[in-house]
């Protein structure tokens, strides 16, 4: 039983098995919605430990269901499984065996930590209720969280609360960071199509130049965060693409602008979008052109529920060993599709130290296996604490 050990001590006895599992995933990275091998491995492990397995939830997603006692409470624990389309440069015995694919965001580690928690909870069963272990596909911009939700994740596997975790390079191993509010930004990608009138490059008087117009739009867009957003609020608007024309002597008909917009407050996002449309079409009109603004991929802000954030922080603090928990983590401008699950059910997202590894999405990044036991323990402990057995 749990009382004889700390959670951390118990889960550390799985270290060899878990590290080997993580390194195997690292050697076999799969892109979002193509996690066929990964999800098979996950399903096999869950079944081996006597956990009910549901496959094909939102594509390649897997949900493991473990019940103890007969209480009505339920907790969801979520990890992501996908890798990135990039080439690994590190030279490790378990480096990626697939060219142009790499676990550069540590989702191999996230999957392994959740499995560690599942193994522990299946062995100890010191809780009263249902745990849903949610192995999500396609976090990296391929819509995995939304796919699982659309496939009935939370109706088929109801969760009172849901918890997620991401490794954080630069924080020491054994440390956690969380806050009770926005942790990651929402926003999306935008495109602006500027249409003018093409002409010979030496006869500009016959043209409406979409390249010149696009340049002015880019400059004017920078006034929005500077002049329309209160200095105490946070937003970023980055133009990352500007494409127009093919020849040195032809003024083209069309130029295209693309970029990303991020903020923590949905109302602020809406206000900025409105200003972007006004600025783009107004500047275009001044030059005799037209500009059409559209928003593609959307991310919601990741917002922690105050009580769940406290529960997760308390659980992390309580796993045993020398742990530090920063409860006032500064929000980051990156985005995370766990946000969509947090829009549907309350919960919290925590960051776990990955030591001094290369940054996320860097070609030499590697998940730190020393972090596995800490992360698995925090996930397991939050289940035990929020679904305590009676008596
Ligand atoms: Zn990532
Ligand atoms: Zn990630």
């Amino acid at each position: 039983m749990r009382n004889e050990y700390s959670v951390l001590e118990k889960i550390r006895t799985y270290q060899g098995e878990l590290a080997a599992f993580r390194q195997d995933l690292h050697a076999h990275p799969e892109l979002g919605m193509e996690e066929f091998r990964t999800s098979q491995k996950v399903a096999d492990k869950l079944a081996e430990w006597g956990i009910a397995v549901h496959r094909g939830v939102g594509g390649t997603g897997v949900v493991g269901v473990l019940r103890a006692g007969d209480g009505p409470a339920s907790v969801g624990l979520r990890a992501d499984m996908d890798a990135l389309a990039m080439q690994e440069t590190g030279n490790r015995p378990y480096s990626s065996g697939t060219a142009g694919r790499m676990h550069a965001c540590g989702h191999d580690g996230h999957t392994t930590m959740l499995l560690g928690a599942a193994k522990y909870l299946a062995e100890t069963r010191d809780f009263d209720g249902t745990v849903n272990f949610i192995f999500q596909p396609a976090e990296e911009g391929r819509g995995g969280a939304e796919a699982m939700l659309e496939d009935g994740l939370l109706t088929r596997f109801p969760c009172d609360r849901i918890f997620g975790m991401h490794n954080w390079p630069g924080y020491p191993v054994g440390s956690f960071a969380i806050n009770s509010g926005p942790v990651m930004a929402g926003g999306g990608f935008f495109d602006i199509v500027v249409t003018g009138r093409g002409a010979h490059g030496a006869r500009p008087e016959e043209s409406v130049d979409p390249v010149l117009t696009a340049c002015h739009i880019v400059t004017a867009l920078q006034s929005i965060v500077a002049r329309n957003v209160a200095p105490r609020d946070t937003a970023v608007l980055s133009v990352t693409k500007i494409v127009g024309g093919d020849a040195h002597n032809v003024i083209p008909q069309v130029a295209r602008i693309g970029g990303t917009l991020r903020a923590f407050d949905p109302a602020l996002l809406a206000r900025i979008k409105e200003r972007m449309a006004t600025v783009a079409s107004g500047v275009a009109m001044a030059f005799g052109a037209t500009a059409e603004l559209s928003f593609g991929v959307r991310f919601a802000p990741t917002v922690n529920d105050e009580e769940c954030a406290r529960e997760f922080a308390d659980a992390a603090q309580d796993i045993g060993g020398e742990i530090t928990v920063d409860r006032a983590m500064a929000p980051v401008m990156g985005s995370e599709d766990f946000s969509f699950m947090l829009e549907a059910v309350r919960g919290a997202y925590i960051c776990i130290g990955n030591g001094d590894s290369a940054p996320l999405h860097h070609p030499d990044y590697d998940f730190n296996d020393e972090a596995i036991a800490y992360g698995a323990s925090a996930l397991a402990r939050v289940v035990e604490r929020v679904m305590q057995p009676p008596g």
Side-chain angles (χ1 to χ4, degrees):
M1 291 302 290
R2 200 189 68 74
N3 293 342
E4 298 166 28
Y5 304 90
S6 73
V7 185
L8 184 61
E9 279 170 326
K10 172 91 176 155
I11 289 183
R12 276 198 170 132
T13 66
Y14 313 153
Q15 178 65 19
E17 178 184 8
L18 294 175
F21 189 91
R22 203 285 298 178
Q23 293 175 13
D24 175 73
L25 290 190
H26 192 90
H28 299 92
E30 295 175 302
L31 292 183
M33 291 300 171
E34 298 169 13
E35 303 95 334
F36 305 113
R37 181 182 185 278
T38 307
S39 59
Q40 180 69 52
K41 293 262 166 192
V42 166
D44 289 349
K45 279 289 179 196
L46 294 172
E48 181 187 324
W49 301 326
I51 296 168
V53 180
H54 302 263
R55 301 199 55 186
V57 183
T60 41
V62 179
V63 179
V65 180
L66 179 68
R67 161 166 272 291
D70 50 15
S74 56
V75 168
L77 302 177
R78 172 273 198 181
D80 40 18
M81 300 189 290
D82 55 322
L84 285 154
M86 58 188 283
Q87 184 65 38
E88 183 161 9
T89 58
N91 187 15
R92 301 177 178 89
Y94 52 85
S95 284
S96 170
T98 311
R101 302 279 183 271
M102 179 189 173
H103 268 296
C105 205
H107 299 184
D108 48 349
H110 302 168
T111 298
T112 306
M113 292 190 291
L114 183 52
L115 278 175
K119 180 177 164 87
Y120 167 90
L121 290 168
E123 278 182 18
T124 53
R125 294 177 187 252
D126 192 13
F127 62 93
D128 183 31
T130 303
V131 193
N132 297 307
F133 303 100
I134 301 166
F135 295 87
Q136 183 206 302
E139 191 282 325
E140 300 282 3
R142 291 188 171 205
E146 287 166 298
M148 289 192 94
L149 291 165
E150 280 162 20
D151 204 6
L153 175 71
L154 296 172
T155 45
R156 291 164 67 191
F157 310 100
C159 302
D160 302 337
R161 303 169 169 80
I162 192 161
F163 297 96
M165 181 179 286
H166 207 294
N167 77 94
W168 215 250
Y171 291 172
V173 171
S175 70
F176 294 87
I178 193 168
N179 72 27
S180 54
V183 238
M184 295 188 115
F189 298 151
F190 64 85
D191 290 285
I192 301 171
V193 179
V194 182
T195 306
R197 187 168 61 244
H200 193 292
R203 284 198 287 277
E205 73 279 13
E206 293 170 7
S207 77
V208 172
D209 186 348
V211 174
L212 177 64
T213 307
C215 291
H216 279 270
I217 290 174
V218 171
T219 306
L221 288 176
Q222 296 310 311
S223 72
I224 298 175
V225 172
R227 302 289 80 181
N228 303 130
V229 176
R232 66 179 171 275
D233 292 336
T234 307
V236 61
L237 191 170
S238 290
V239 174
T240 56
K241 292 201 301 189
I242 173 163
V243 182
D246 298 296
H248 288 85
N249 55 358
V250 177
I251 295 168
Q253 187 84 9
V254 169
R256 293 167 203 278
I257 298 164
T260 184
L261 165 65
R262 315 273 172 117
F264 297 105
D265 173 8
L268 178 59
L269 282 170
R271 208 157 68 236
I272 295 172
K273 285 181 181 179
E274 201 183 298
R275 283 297 299 151
M276 288 175 72
T278 306
V279 166
S281 63
V283 171
M285 197 205 296
F287 285 83
T290 59
E292 204 171 314
L293 170 69
S294 60
F295 281 85
V297 177
R298 176 183 87 95
F299 342 113
T302 305
V303 183
N304 283 343
D305 173 80
E306 203 179 321
E307 188 184 7
C308 293
R310 189 172 55 246
E311 288 166 349
F312 211 178
D314 290 347
Q317 193 75 64
D318 189 36
I319 61 177
E322 291 286 310
I323 307 298
T324 60
V325 182
D326 171 4
R327 293 167 188 255
M329 178 191 139
V332 295
M333 296 312 294
S335 297
E336 160 62 68
D337 76 358
F338 185 58
S339 57
F340 293 112
M341 295 189 185
L342 288 182
E343 280 187 335
V345 60
R346 70 200 189 101
Y349 189 72
I350 203 167
C351 290
I352 176 170
N354 199 51
D356 59 355
S357 70
L360 300 172
H361 294 207
H362 186 281
D364 194 33
Y365 169 85
D366 189 26
F367 183 83
N368 190 331
D369 287 328
E370 296 306 311
I372 294 173
Y374 292 99
S377 299
L379 290 165
R381 191 69 186 121
V382 77
V383 167
E384 291 180 335
R385 289 180 59 112
V386 304
M387 296 197 295
Q388 286 180 25

